[in-house]
């Protein structure tokens, strides 16, 4: 039985969620067949067993699993015969570290730089909630958050230095082959290219070349979607 | 022939350098005999082949290697028969990531919180240079940097969340066994306990228990030195 992936939907049926892209890539890495179900924010509490608060959620036979990290651990354990997502215990720890580090240090500052563009890509009924939540959190309008992004992008790129170090002499973050840690980071850059023409990575950045390699994975599953670049 | 480790010396012949502790632990992990040579900052340019700018430096037969990360890579390669420092390619990447991440994100903010205490532990002839360099960098006196540390420690501890996640259900950062990534982080906490009574980790923090486990490694080599706690 195919796995079902519930993922957030944006305008035009676009699947822009960074966390859902992590799971998409993990499923492809394991070579697993899956179907996706588009889900609006307001519908999350109604899916599966009605106990879910966020997406992605996967339904895998009798198992319902929420949260991109827990899904990755489930896939690694339940489909141990497939290519490993972690490459051992230390590689699992690397992925977990980056999973915890990325959101506050990298992803949320990126949300601020792309806030207005992101708003415009959401389903019309999700926009007011997104605006009020973000503006309350940061004390500025979405348009103000985005306005001075050219002045903030260099400092943001500097935060990526630990990731950059890993791909200076290796094709992927964990070495010669892509691993779940790549997909954790890929999610943010895939989300960015689907919602905004603003480039988070400079031409010539080793991470830009790494991202292109990720877009090529699994017959170009990441590259195939509508995006700004 | 034993390896020679050149390391920075503080007052009372104390070997407080976080980077040098990384190398000490890596040498112990590999089960390698080594001798240490205490070195003052002003003497670094005179050791070995007179081309060195920072410590640690190791002399291993005909090889002279500078920089804690390059030393770890050398040891892993030259002593491949010993216990691995990295546990595979993904584990190597984890250690490299943490090596690059730790200094700006974690260690330098800790230097600011311990600046006055650190000053007082340096060799008398190193104090004026340390003071002028740090005060120029941060625009405050060492005493000012340290003064409001109680108000900053909670935010600093929050930065450790990715590390904490790794030891919630594992004894060491990379899993069941200690690896070089542990020593990268250990260096900062060992340095801290040798220079200041101010506790960087709260009682009950899973990282405090992890640090105690690191102090026990290799017959308590880290625990054996003079320290405040």
């Amino acid at each position: 039985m195919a796995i079902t992936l519930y993922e957030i939907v944006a305008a035009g049926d676009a699947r822009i969620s960074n966390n859902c892209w992590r799971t998409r890539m993990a499923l492809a890495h394991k070579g697993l067949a899956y179907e996706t179900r588009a889900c609006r924010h307001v519908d999350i509490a109604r899916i599966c067993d009605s106990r879910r608060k966020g997406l992605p959620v996967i339904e895998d036979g009798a198992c319902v699993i929420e949260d991109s990290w827990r899904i990755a651990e489930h896939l690694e354990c339940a489909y141990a015969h497939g290519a490993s997502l972690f490459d051992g215990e230390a590689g699992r720890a690397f992925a977990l570290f980056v999973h915890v580090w990325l959101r506050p240090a990298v992803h949320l500052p990126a949300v601020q730089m792309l806030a207005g563009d992101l708003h415009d890509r959401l389903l019309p009924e999700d926009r007011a909630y997104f605006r009020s939540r973000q503006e309350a959190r940061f004390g500025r309008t979405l348009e103000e958050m985005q306005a001075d992004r050219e002045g903030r992008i260099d400092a943001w790129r500097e935060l990526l230095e630990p990731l950059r170090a890993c791909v200076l002499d290796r094709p992927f973050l964990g070495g010669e082959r892509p691993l779940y840690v790549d997909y954790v980071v890929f999610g943010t850059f895939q989300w960015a290219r689907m919602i905004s023409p603003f480039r988070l990575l400079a031409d010539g950045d080793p991470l830009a070349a790494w991202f292109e390699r990720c877009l090529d994975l699994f017959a170009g599953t990441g590259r195939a979607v509508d995006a700004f670049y």
Side-chain angles (χ1 to χ4, degrees), chain A:
Chain A
M1 189 171 63
I3 292 167
T4 304
L5 165 63
Y6 293 85
E7 53 184 2
I8 286 290
V9 65
D13 196 39
R15 312 298 171 90
I16 63 173
S17 159
N18 60 310
N19 292 325
C20 295
W21 271 101
R22 296 173 177 182
T23 299
R24 280 186 168 230
M25 297 295 272
L27 289 161
H29 182 105
K30 283 286 186 187
L32 296 168
Y34 64 99
E35 296 169 357
T36 69
R37 295 265 197 287
C39 186
R40 299 177 305 161
H41 281 282
V42 295
D43 295 329
I44 293 173
R46 285 179 228 155
I47 63 170
C48 302
D49 51 14
S50 304
R51 288 185 291 149
R52 305 302 149 185
K53 293 178 180 163
L55 297 180
V57 164
I58 68 164
E59 205 169 17
D60 183 9
C63 299
V64 177
I65 303 128
E66 174 180 343
D67 177 75
S68 61
W69 175 254
R70 291 185 53 229
I71 292 170
E73 290 214 298
H74 166 81
L75 296 177
E76 182 73 353
C77 173
Y79 302 96
H81 56 279
S84 172
L85 286 166
F86 297 138
D87 188 28
E89 273 289 291
R92 174 195 171 275
F94 184 24
L96 176 59
F97 184 102
V98 171
H99 170 85
V100 176
W101 167 75
L102 195 84
R103 183 179 149 80
V106 172
H107 189 79
L108 292 183
V111 169
Q112 291 194 59
M113 289 192 289
L114 308 183
D117 295 338
L118 174 55
H119 171 271
D120 297 344
R121 293 283 292 165
L122 298 178
L123 289 175
E125 62 263 41
D126 287 337
R127 290 179 192 167
Y129 175 72
F130 174 77
R131 178 179 291 280
S132 67
R133 198 179 61 150
Q134 296 293 319
E135 294 185 350
R137 174 186 281 178
F138 297 112
R140 300 191 294 168
T141 68
L142 298 180
E143 291 68 25
E144 286 167 344
M145 284 180 221
Q146 182 169 309
D148 61 345
R149 62 190 178 186
E150 289 288 358
R152 283 179 288 152
I153 188 65
D154 286 348
W156 187 83
R157 288 170 178 166
E158 185 75 17
L159 296 170
L160 308 177
E161 202 54 38
L163 296 169
R164 199 170 283 121
C166 293
V167 297
L168 279 182
D169 56 3
R170 303 283 196 279
F172 294 100
L173 290 173
E176 294 299 318
R177 291 169 297 133
L179 294 168
Y180 187 71
V181 66
D182 292 282
Y183 313 143
V184 172
V185 183
F186 172 81
T188 287
F189 291 103
Q190 175 75 336
W191 161 86
R193 75 185 267 274
M194 292 182 74
I195 63 169
S196 172
F198 184 72
R199 299 260 188 163
L200 292 179
L201 295 171
D203 289 344
D205 187 331
L207 286 169
W210 161 84
F211 183 56
E212 293 297 318
R213 284 189 287 274
C214 290
L215 287 171
D216 288 335
L217 291 171
F218 317 124
T221 189
R223 202 183 290 284
V225 299
D226 274 346
F228 282 92
Y229 50 89

